[in-house]
Amino acid sequence: MRALIPAVALLTLAAACGSGAEQTAQSGPATLRMSIWTANEDHLKLFNEIAAGYTKAKVTFESIPIDSYTTTLTTQIAGGKAPDLAWILEGSAPDFVESGALAPLSSKIQNAAELAPAATRLWQKDGELYAYPFSTSPFGVFVNTDLLREAGKKVPAKGWTWQEAMDAAAAVAKKGKAGLIVGDWDYKNWTNLATLWEGWGAKAWSEDGATCGFNQPPMVEAMTFLHKSIFTDKALPGPGETVDFYSGDAAMIVTQISRASLLKDATFDWTLLPLPHGPAGEYSVIGQAGIGVIKKSPNAELAADFLGYFTNAENSAKLAQYFPPARTSQLNVETLAKSNPLLKPEQLQAVVIDGIPNGVVKPSHKGQEELIQTARAALDPLWQPGADVKAVLDGVCTKIQPLLGS
């Protein structure tokens, strides 16, 4: 298990030396460094093109693998080698915002008042914005319609249910292909399962973050449904199975619109749909990331100015190709269609535009890194045939409840 930096460490780091605070001033143009977790060539090309238009400083982008991203970032801060700006995962938002490690941004963001409230909630404290929600991306389901037809299943439409999704996935699996994949879960990143359990109204913990929700009836029902779908119906690939939807080897994948680019050369017909309805009805789950300025950076003021430029209306529209914007003025088919040519207007409307205003952000909590690892280990016994779902979920709560209350 990778090294963990507890939430309390960020409080110390915020007061400690930051991004080379002891460095002496250098002659020549200032250089800003932004930490990111993508190494996608298309993403980097776009970032560099936008940064090239900023004349006050040279900006470089440092890619850190997402599996170790937060740990690496906090270690850099502790060692006085932090970047000037950094992407922050939604799960780490409470730690960074509450710790005081980030510089205030409201006055630096162009037309900050037009940011959707659902998008800024995680990144605010006492009315001040501490990170710009540059990617506010609802989850949807890409569907290989060819595989469904071959399995004798109708192509689903908006308003479909999780039962219909799993029935279709199981039918495809019987034909030799994989059924449904929960993207980036791989029996490890359990927070992505919120895309399913929210359909039952389940929560990892209470709204105030104080009480474990894994052993409550909605979560037990949702996880029982998922367990049956995996081990009885074979609707999902089992533990250890690796399947590539984008190569045509699976019927469906739960993911975000940024992955549409992987379907550019697809040899099969596909569509994009909102998440299926669950027993609790229609819902939307959002994956989010913010860009913050490290408060102790000697270039914090300049970094905040660059962030204002990087996220202004013009550049936000460019970033929308991969990262759905939080600006309400840009949450329309016209803006999104220009930067997402592979997606149809009705798909963008149903998944992104309709999904953001009332979407629920994936689970986040102070001390998220330790919580994720602890819950992941406690969930491991669930991923085998014959598991006692309620007993395993009781065990999850036993393990994480002390962390929730700390």
Side-chain angles (χ1 to χ4, degrees):
M1 185 172 73
R2 69 190 182 204
L4 300 174
I5 306 247
V8 69
L10 275 171
L11 290 168
T12 304
L13 301 181
C17 56
S19 179
E22 292 83 7
Q23 294 177 358
T24 57
Q26 297 180 353
S27 60
T31 297
L32 298 176
R33 178 165 59 96
M34 182 191 295
S35 289
I36 59 178
W37 57 76
T38 182
N40 181 287
E41 291 183 4
D42 292 333
H43 295 174
L44 294 173
K45 179 182 178 182
L46 176 59
F47 298 159
N48 283 311
E49 287 175 353
I50 294 174
Y54 186 71
T55 59
K56 298 179 183 179
K58 178 181 178 181
V59 183
T60 61
F61 300 93
E62 175 189 38
S63 297
I64 300 172
I66 193 166
D67 286 347
S68 59
Y69 182 83
T70 300
T71 300
T72 301
L73 179 60
T74 50
T75 300
Q76 287 180 344
I77 296 174
K81 297 180 180 180
D84 301 291
L85 305 97
W87 285 7
I88 301 169
L89 286 160
E90 72 274 291
S92 301
D95 285 337
F96 277 89
V97 172
E98 293 292 330
S99 70
L102 302 176
L105 296 174
S106 295
S107 64
K108 301 295 185 179
I109 302 302
Q110 182 187 83
N111 298 328
E114 74 166 353
L115 299 178
T120 58
R121 191 171 297 119
L122 267 182
W123 312 101
Q124 288 180 321
K125 181 182 179 182
D126 299 330
E128 178 61 66
L129 187 69
Y130 286 93
Y132 179 90
F134 82 99
S135 180
T136 300
S137 187
F139 284 83
V141 185
F142 285 103
V143 180
N144 182 326
T145 55
D146 285 348
L147 287 183
L148 263 63
R149 291 189 183 99
E150 290 170 11
K153 291 294 182 179
K154 293 181 180 179
V155 176
K158 182 181 178 181
W160 61 326
T161 67
W162 271 110
Q163 188 60 63
E164 291 171 333
M166 292 304 186
D167 287 346
V172 170
K174 287 180 180 178
K175 291 288 186 177
K177 295 286 188 176
L180 182 142
I181 300 168
V182 178
D184 300 317
W185 166 40
D186 195 28
Y187 294 87
K188 297 174 184 176
N189 184 9
W190 56 266
T191 62
N192 278 7
L193 291 179
T195 56
L196 181 143
W197 75 49
E198 284 285 347
W200 278 254
K203 305 288 182 183
W205 37 74
S206 57
E207 189 68 26
D208 62 4
T211 305
C212 178
F214 274 95
N215 60 357
Q216 297 303 302
M219 184 69 82
V220 175
E221 293 173 14
M223 292 300 228
T224 298
F225 174 82
L226 176 62
H227 190 275
K228 177 179 179 293
S229 298
I230 298 168
F231 296 104
T232 302
D233 303 333
K234 309 297 183 184
L236 289 82
E241 296 180 40
T242 301
V243 181
D244 183 12
F245 170 84
Y246 307 100
S247 296
D249 295 330
M252 310 171 207
I253 185 168
V254 179
T255 190
Q256 294 156 301
I257 67 166
S258 59
R259 304 300 175 88
S261 61
L262 298 175
L263 292 165
K264 181 173 59 176
D265 300 316
T267 57
F268 55 88
D269 287 337
W270 57 271
T271 189
L272 173 65
L273 293 170
L275 293 172
H277 293 190
E282 183 178 5
Y283 67 102
S284 175
V285 175
I286 296 172
Q288 206 175 34
I291 304 175
V293 171
I294 304 303
K295 191 174 183 179
K296 284 293 182 177
S297 164
N299 301 310
E301 187 69 23
L302 184 61
D305 185 75
F306 170 71
L307 181 54
Y309 167 81
F310 191 72
T311 60
N312 65 25
E314 179 183 355
N315 290 326
S316 181
K318 295 176 182 177
L319 292 167
Q321 179 176 356
Y322 306 107
F323 310 103
R327 295 184 178 278
T328 54
S329 64
Q330 295 176 335
L331 287 177
N332 56 70
V333 169
E334 291 74 23
T335 299
L336 292 174
K338 288 178 182 177
S339 53
N340 293 276
L342 291 177
L343 298 176
K344 298 176 181 178
E346 59 267 27
Q347 295 170 340
L348 292 167
Q349 181 71 47
V351 176
V352 181
I353 299 171
D354 294 345
I356 287 177
N358 299 309
V360 176
V361 179
K362 287 171 53 184
S364 64
H365 199 285
K366 287 188 290 186
Q368 179 89 343
E369 286 290 291
E370 187 173 4
L371 268 171
I372 285 178
Q373 296 294 350
T374 302
R376 172 183 165 181
L379 282 167
D380 279 346
L382 186 60
W383 313 129
Q384 55 187 340
D388 184 330
V389 176
K390 179 61 164 61
V392 172
L393 297 180
D394 282 339
V396 174
C397 282
T398 297
K399 292 292 186 180
I400 72 169
Q401 185 59 54
L403 302 177
L404 297 177
S406 60

